[in-house]
Amino acid sequence: MSEPKTPSPAPAGDTYKGWVFKWTNYIKGYQRRWFVLSNGLLSYYRTQAEMGHTCRGTINLATATIAVDDACNFVISNGGAQTYHLKASCEVERQRWITALELAKAKAARMQAESDDSGDDFPQNSPSAPPGQGVGSQSSEVQSTLRTLGSKVDDLSTCNDLISKHGSALQRSLSELDSLRLTGEAGDKIRQVTERATLFRITSNAMINACRDFLSLAQAHSKRWQKALQAERDQRVRLEDTLEQLAKQHNHLERAFKSNTSADSNGSATAKGEGSDEDDDNEFFDAVEEAPEFITVPADPHFHKRSSSNVSVFNSDFCPDDQSLDEQLTSINPESPQSMEPMRKRRTKIPDKPNYSLNLWSIMKNCIGKELSKIPMPVNFNEPISMLQRLSEDLEYYELLDKAAKCQSSLEQLCYVAAFSVSSYSTTVHRTGKPFNPLLGETFELDRRRETGYRSLCEQVSHHPPAAAHHVISDRGWTLRQEIAVASKFRGKYLSIMPLGTIHAVFNKTNHHYTWKKVTTTVHNIIVGKLWIDQSGEIDVINHQTGDRCHLKFAPYSYFSRDVARKVTGVVMDKDGKAHYILSGTWDEKMEFSRVMQSTMGENGTEGRQKTVYQTLKAKELWRKNPLPEGAETMYFFTHLALTLNEPEEGVAPTDSRRRPDQRLMEEGQWDEANAEKQRLEEKQRGVRREREREAVSQRAASESEEGTYQDNYTAQWFERCEDPVTGESTHIYKGGYWEAKERGSWESCPEIY
């Protein structure tokens, strides 16, 4: 260090500068660099001239470690990303730097701790803002400036105390000097007064310098903030202008599209056919708002029949009183307390979710286009329930099926079944966590016969592709069954989850058999921003006995839409296509129904087709979402039912999801142990699969069969594969035996999967 420039810091400042030798590489060794310690940051430059424009590196001392190697060498590191190996010219110089660095580190750590609470007052990055350029970076700069200003104020306060102290001492000395006579002590007193006056002058100069630094810093940042505010105002104006232009372009394109489709209906049909062949990857949800397929208007309560060429009037004998559906809502009384066994008290809370940070994009960026079930994911992205338990959550609003079983009219019954199909999505609005993929042969029972009259059983019947069979039987006159296979694709900006399979609801009293499918679930903001979930698509709830049908449409989110978010609309029609009820609402809150009194053909829609105008009576509530339990945001946004799904129970099968160790460890907050256990279970499952493959090969060789390729010969424990008599699909249907085995406590046939 040929030109040491390490003056002692002034009382009002915390800047330390000087030449220090820094290790560069094995060829050049140590090279002299200009280091600057200021505001808890240690920066270095090749020369002093670079300070104004080029910084070679910076370490934040608040999180750094300082270590001494020998008499002249010392090391500064922030945990691995940055490490400076430095060498001073002598031991004294090294000690000066070590002292300055330790003081700066302590001060930086103290200011960071004091600013933790105030930092929460600033908004975080907007999901639409680019990384590093959002509001978060500006708030960080503001916090840093406020800490600097606060440090200067502390320096001023310290100097003020020193001035008061030395001023009082000087005053006392002067008083003593006045009381003295001219003796031999006069010279000593005069020297004492001179020393105190000198100290007072030094402190006053430091006070003046601190005031000057504070004023210059405040002025500099005041101009900077004014420029930043003006830049924000200009940017807002530009964004408003851009949005206005986009809105005008959108209206222009919509008018042009309407004119083209109305001018040539054949051309529009051809264009539509060509557009339907586009790849799913080009799907974009923030598109032009889709026009409604029908329009509803209030009907006159004293409706009279009238005939017209484009008017269809419903017969009054279909439902002579509109109150019939309301009566069903109030006519269902629970079983008498004498017939109910004492209900078990279920838990209402689980351990809070630990605050572990992990970057989802760092894992998903290498998985674009892959099947989600084949991506190895840590439990950090999971919720502590399995897909089987998540499937059982469809029974959250089982009472809708209870009410449907009491209905006299098949069309009224269809309203409840359609509402039940929508209600299963209400639990997903805040649930961005991924359920555990069930192991092959894993089961989950949900026995609520005492409380609500139903028993539910799920089993993982296939692993590739993953598929689960579900069977529910209720003492209140209905049966629900389904086999759902999940297909999922990561598209880069969003994740699409497509449930495959058919859901069946059968009512014992009338033998009405309903079927429907599930819509597509989309998880947005995978790369940046807060995750949010949307449901989109169309489904038909069909009564296979009467031919009645309910067509439901889940509107995808659109930035340009004027409708409420998560909107669902539906029409309940008989086998002849006549509408009797209109359903409307949102999949995350409620559904309402309105009785149709009359339908007319209105104006042409966007595709050249006439819209149907339905005159309806006042809408009445059919279903409403239950409120979440208190503190749900710290418990994975679980509902009251979801909180009980993983509660330990005696007597369940050894393959039950409640016994899964990695899932239990995650619920208890032991995520590292859960990840290790999850890896062990998955490797065990792969080993079992390889063993089945070897057995299949040996059996094929023994039978001397050369035809065909390997097929997994796994057979489900409680379900059997057969052809569905209603849909003709190959599916798994419950074959019985589970509840009988539970009563006997006989689980010898269950595989050991954990």
Side-chain angles (χ1 to χ4, degrees):
M1 196 165 62
S2 59
E3 296 184 27
K5 296 278 187 180
T6 54
S8 299
D14 58 354
T15 301
Y16 203 85
K17 306 177 183 178
W19 291 102
V20 181
F21 288 91
K22 177 182 177 296
W23 175 263
T24 57
N25 52 52
Y26 285 100
I27 298 177
K28 296 184 178 180
Y30 284 95
Q31 296 292 321
R32 193 178 69 161
R33 298 290 184 261
W34 179 256
F35 278 81
V36 177
L37 173 60
S38 177
N39 296 328
L41 300 176
L42 179 64
S43 307
Y44 76 94
Y45 311 84
R46 286 186 177 178
T47 62
Q48 297 184 46
E50 284 189 346
M51 290 180 60
H53 55 83
T54 304
C55 179
R56 301 294 176 175
T58 301
I59 283 186
N60 187 350
L61 295 179
T63 58
T65 58
I66 304 171
V68 178
D69 280 354
D70 52 29
C72 298
N73 292 1
F74 56 102
V75 180
I76 304 172
S77 175
N78 63 355
Q82 286 180 302
T83 301
Y84 295 166
H85 295 268
L86 307 178
K87 182 172 67 173
S89 60
C90 61
E91 186 174 357
V92 175
E93 197 64 39
R94 185 217 64 188
Q95 189 58 42
R96 288 180 181 177
W97 273 105
I98 294 296
T99 303
L101 290 169
E102 293 289 356
L103 292 175
K105 176 183 177 181
K107 189 173 184 179
R110 183 175 64 253
M111 288 192 299
Q112 184 177 11
E114 292 174 353
S115 64
D116 283 344
D117 295 335
S118 62
D120 296 336
D121 298 335
F122 294 94
Q124 299 298 319
N125 275 346
S126 170
S128 60
Q133 299 181 8
V135 181
S137 60
Q138 296 180 1
S139 63
S140 177
E141 182 180 355
V142 171
Q143 293 177 47
S144 176
T145 303
L146 290 177
R147 288 197 295 268
T148 304
L149 293 176
S151 175
K152 296 299 181 183
V153 172
D154 292 340
D155 292 340
L156 291 177
S157 178
T158 303
C159 292
N160 180 66
D161 295 339
L162 291 174
I163 287 176
S164 299
K165 177 182 177 181
H166 294 312
S168 299
L170 180 61
Q171 186 64 41
R172 288 195 301 270
S173 298
L174 291 176
S175 299
E176 293 174 0
L177 183 61
D178 291 340
S179 63
L180 289 178
R181 298 177 180 178
L182 295 177
T183 62
E185 298 178 357
D188 295 336
K189 290 297 181 182
I190 291 174
R191 284 193 297 272
Q192 185 178 6
V193 170
T194 302
E195 291 175 357
R196 295 186 183 277
T198 301
L199 289 174
F200 185 80
R201 176 175 57 81
I202 294 173
T203 307
S204 299
N205 289 335
M207 179 75 171
I208 294 172
N209 292 333
C211 291
R212 186 184 299 112
D213 293 341
F214 181 83
L215 181 60
S216 60
L217 184 63
Q219 289 175 344
H221 283 286
S222 175
K223 296 178 181 178
R224 193 173 183 180
W225 289 337
Q226 289 177 0
K227 292 180 180 179
L229 179 60
Q230 186 60 38
E232 290 294 333
R233 289 174 177 171
D234 295 341
Q235 185 178 11
R236 186 190 66 182
V237 172
R238 288 194 298 270
L239 289 175
E240 290 175 352
D241 294 340
T242 302
L243 184 59
E244 183 178 0
Q245 292 177 5
L246 288 175
K248 291 179 180 179
Q249 293 176 6
H250 168 257
N251 293 332
H252 175 73
L253 289 173
E254 188 174 17
R255 288 195 299 269
F257 180 72
K258 288 181 179 180
S259 62
N260 289 337
T261 53
S262 61
D264 187 359
S265 59
N266 294 332
S268 66
T270 304
K272 181 181 178 183
E274 293 173 355
S276 63
D277 293 333
E278 293 182 0
D279 191 87
D280 290 340
D281 292 346
N282 296 328
E283 182 177 321
F284 183 62
F285 292 106
D286 290 340
V288 178
E289 177 186 4
E290 296 186 14
E293 297 180 350
F294 56 85
I295 301 173
T296 58
V297 296
D300 185 358
H302 305 288
F303 173 77
H304 298 284
K305 295 182 181 180
R306 60 181 182 272
S307 59
S308 177
S309 59
N310 64 340
V311 175
S312 62
V313 181
F314 298 121
N315 295 327
S316 60
D317 58 356
F318 163 69
C319 188
D321 186 2
D322 190 57
Q323 300 298 323
S324 61
L325 195 55
D326 271 354
E327 291 173 358
Q328 298 296 335
L329 293 169
T330 57
S331 64
I332 301 173
N333 296 321
E335 287 77 6
S336 60
Q338 291 79 5
S339 63
M340 294 289 291
E341 299 182 22
M343 290 188 297
R344 172 183 175 180
K345 186 177 181 181
R346 307 284 179 178
R347 69 180 183 181
T348 58
K349 188 175 178 60
I350 61 174
D352 291 346
K353 178 181 179 181
N355 187 19
Y356 292 154
S357 61
L358 190 62
N359 186 4
L360 177 61
W361 175 242
S362 65
I363 296 177
M364 299 296 287
K365 65 183 179 180
N366 297 322
C367 305
I368 297 178
K370 293 183 180 179
E371 179 74 22
L372 183 62
S373 60
K374 299 180 181 179
I375 300 175
M377 300 284 283
V379 301
N380 304 57
F381 302 121
N382 285 36
E383 54 184 12
I385 61 174
S386 72
M387 181 60 75
L388 302 181
Q389 293 165 314
R390 188 74 171 262
L391 197 61
S392 301
E393 282 192 74
D394 287 356
L395 300 171
E396 177 83 27
Y397 300 96
Y398 67 92
E399 63 271 11
L400 290 171
L401 296 181
D402 289 347
K403 295 174 182 179
K406 300 273 186 180
C407 288
Q408 301 298 323
S409 168
S410 63
L411 293 169
E412 294 175 356
Q413 189 178 70
L414 182 53
C415 290
Y416 283 110
V417 176
F420 176 78
S421 69
V422 175
S423 68
S424 62
Y425 298 101
S426 64
T427 61
T428 66
V429 61
H430 300 296
R431 301 272 291 278
T432 56
K434 173 182 176 293
F436 279 78
N437 289 331
L439 301 174
L440 188 61
E442 184 175 336
T443 61
F444 177 72
E445 70 162 69
L446 186 62
D447 191 352
R448 294 291 190 268
R449 193 172 185 180
R450 294 182 181 180
E451 297 96 325
T452 55
Y454 69 80
R455 279 178 167 179
S456 167
L457 176 65
C458 290
E459 181 181 357
Q460 187 76 0
V461 296
S462 174
H463 188 62
H464 287 300
H470 186 202
H471 182 269
V472 190
I473 186 169
S474 173
D475 295 338
R476 299 177 185 176
W478 54 268
T479 302
L480 183 76
R481 62 178 174 87
Q482 57 182 323
E483 180 181 345
I484 298 298
V486 177
S488 53
K489 288 293 184 180
F490 177 54
R491 309 288 187 177
K493 58 184 178 180
Y494 61 88
L495 178 69
S496 295
I497 302 172
M498 294 81 70
L500 308 175
T502 304
I503 306 171
H504 299 254
V506 182
F507 295 92
N508 304 339
K509 183 178 180 181
T510 59
N511 287 327
H512 288 169
H513 192 135
Y514 296 88
T515 63
W516 68 92
K517 295 180 180 293
K518 288 181 175 288
V519 296
T520 299
T521 300
T522 306
V523 184
H524 293 271
N525 286 350
I526 295 295
I527 300 177
V528 64
K530 184 179 180 180
L531 295 176
W532 62 277
I533 291 178
D534 192 24
Q535 312 286 350
S536 60
E538 300 182 17
I539 58 176
D540 286 317
V541 184
I542 304 172
N543 186 336
H544 291 272
Q545 186 178 36
T546 64
D548 302 336
R549 178 187 302 264
C550 177
H551 181 74
L552 290 172
K553 181 176 182 180
F554 291 68
Y557 173 80
S558 174
Y559 179 80
F560 298 99
S561 176
R562 295 180 293 272
D563 285 332
V564 295
R566 310 179 182 96
K567 183 178 180 181
V568 180
T569 57
V571 182
V572 176
M573 300 173 288
D574 59 21
K575 62 180 180 179
D576 298 324
K578 291 184 179 181
H580 293 268
Y581 288 98
I582 298 297
L583 302 183
S584 62
T586 58
W587 53 263
D588 69 322
E589 184 179 357
K590 66 177 181 179
M591 288 296 292
E592 296 176 337
F593 71 97
S594 306
R595 183 185 172 195
V596 176
M597 304 302 298
Q598 176 178 311
S599 67
T600 59
M601 301 306 295
E603 61 181 5
N604 290 340
T606 57
E607 297 183 1
R609 297 178 300 183
Q610 285 186 308
K611 297 180 183 178
T612 304
V613 180
Y614 295 114
Q615 295 187 21
T616 63
L617 295 181
K618 183 178 179 181
K620 298 177 182 179
E621 189 171 280
L622 187 62
W623 158 77
R624 178 175 289 274
K625 177 186 177 182
N626 296 328
L628 291 174
E630 183 179 356
E633 63 278 0
T634 63
M635 297 185 294
Y636 308 89
F637 288 98
F638 279 180
T639 63
H640 288 282
L641 174 63
L643 289 174
T644 67
L645 294 180
N646 206 42
E647 184 178 9
E649 290 189 16
E650 296 294 333
V652 299
T655 55
D656 197 274
S657 299
R658 299 176 182 88
R659 301 183 182 274
R660 182 165 175 166
D662 54 348
Q663 188 172 298
R664 181 67 59 191
L665 288 170
M666 182 194 176
E667 182 184 280
E668 295 172 353
Q670 305 179 48
W671 285 16
D672 292 338
E673 295 82 353
N675 277 317
E677 188 66 20
K678 180 173 181 288
Q679 186 175 3
R680 182 190 69 82
L681 291 175
E682 291 174 350
E683 186 57 37
K684 180 178 180 180
Q685 181 173 239
R686 296 187 191 100
V688 173
R689 178 178 174 83
R690 288 192 293 267
E691 183 64 27
R692 286 201 309 272
E693 291 177 356
R694 285 193 293 268
E695 292 179 0
V697 171
S698 60
Q699 291 175 2
R700 188 165 61 248
S703 61
E704 297 181 356
S705 174
E706 301 294 338
E707 299 179 358
T709 58
Y710 166 74
Q711 293 182 351
D712 196 345
N713 57 357
Y714 176 79
T715 303
Q717 183 70 24
W718 309 109
F719 291 79
E720 61 180 354
R721 178 177 290 277
C722 60
E723 181 178 323
D724 191 280
V726 176
T727 63
E729 300 174 347
S730 177
T731 185
H732 282 82
I733 297 180
Y734 179 62
K735 63 182 179 181
Y738 179 87
W739 303 109
E740 293 78 6
K742 181 179 179 181
E743 291 178 1
R744 299 191 306 268
S746 175
W747 303 113
E748 293 82 2
S749 60
C750 293
E752 183 182 349
I753 60 175
Y754 301 139

